Amino acid sequence: MADWTSSVRSYLRQTLLTVAPVGGLPAIAYEGRKYTPIVGTPWIREQLLPISAEVATLGPTGYVREEFVYRLTVYSPLTGSSKLSDHENLVDLIRAKFFPGQEVRDSLSRYFGIVTEAARGYSLTEPDWIGTPVSIRGYYHRATRAA
């Protein structure tokens, strides 16, 4: 993937880790890393999806606007001690943490972006899980040329 995705992913992951549900944040299946869910234990799947790139400004100091979706799917067991209300609360906490207008920056502030939308999707059930996606849409400006 393009270099800009590392900066965006790092920022979004750091933000995700500040979500503080009762009982703590469940395990996260980070994109590109092996993870095997444990039946009966909640978990979150993370994906960063680059959508499109377009020129935002021209010239030697111009920028390319990279659109992305950061998709987090919250999985909770359908049986056992987990409650549907805990699942719904976690989904809502994650969605609220990524608010429209929130800045997206790397550690050196060379690039910048913004969250434009945070939305939850429909919950789907599987034999062992209920899964609810939270999609964070945004864009990120990167330099048109390497510095």
Side-chain angles (χ1 to χ4, degrees):
M1 275 193 194
D3 194 40
W4 67 271
T5 60
S6 297
S7 295
V8 170
R9 185 186 317 277
S10 175
Y11 174 84
L12 296 170
R13 281 180 178 171
Q14 288 173 17
T15 302
L16 174 61
L17 292 174
T18 66
V19 174
V22 174
L25 199 61
I28 301 169
Y30 291 110
E31 188 174 20
R33 296 185 188 164
K34 184 176 176 155
Y35 178 79
T36 304
I38 300 168
V39 175
T41 305
W43 61 287
I44 299 170
R45 174 186 291 146
E46 174 220 47
Q47 296 172 289
L48 178 61
L49 309 165
I51 301 299
S52 65
E54 63 182 36
V55 174
T57 60
L58 298 173
T61 59
Y63 287 94
V64 171
R65 176 181 161 135
E66 298 275 3
E67 285 193 57
F68 65 86
V69 172
Y70 187 54
R71 183 172 298 140
L72 300 165
T73 306
V74 178
Y75 290 94
S76 295
L78 286 174
T79 59
S81 62
S82 288
K83 298 176 187 166
L84 186 57
S85 61
D86 292 341
H87 175 84
E88 294 296 324
N89 289 338
L90 179 55
V91 168
D92 289 340
L93 282 171
I94 291 171
R95 188 192 56 76
K97 185 59 79 170
F98 296 93
F99 56 90
Q102 179 179 0
E103 292 183 348
V104 177
R105 295 191 173 270
D106 71 4
S107 61
L108 301 176
S109 295
R110 291 177 299 186
Y111 308 118
F112 55 92
I114 195 164
V115 171
T116 58
E117 177 185 25
R120 63 176 290 156
Y122 292 104
S123 297
L124 300 172
T125 57
E126 299 175 10
D128 296 319
W129 311 98
I130 182 170
T132 306
V134 178
S135 296
I136 293 91
R137 283 180 126 348
Y139 64 82
Y140 193 70
H141 284 158
R142 64 169 175 82
T144 55
R145 299 179 190 183

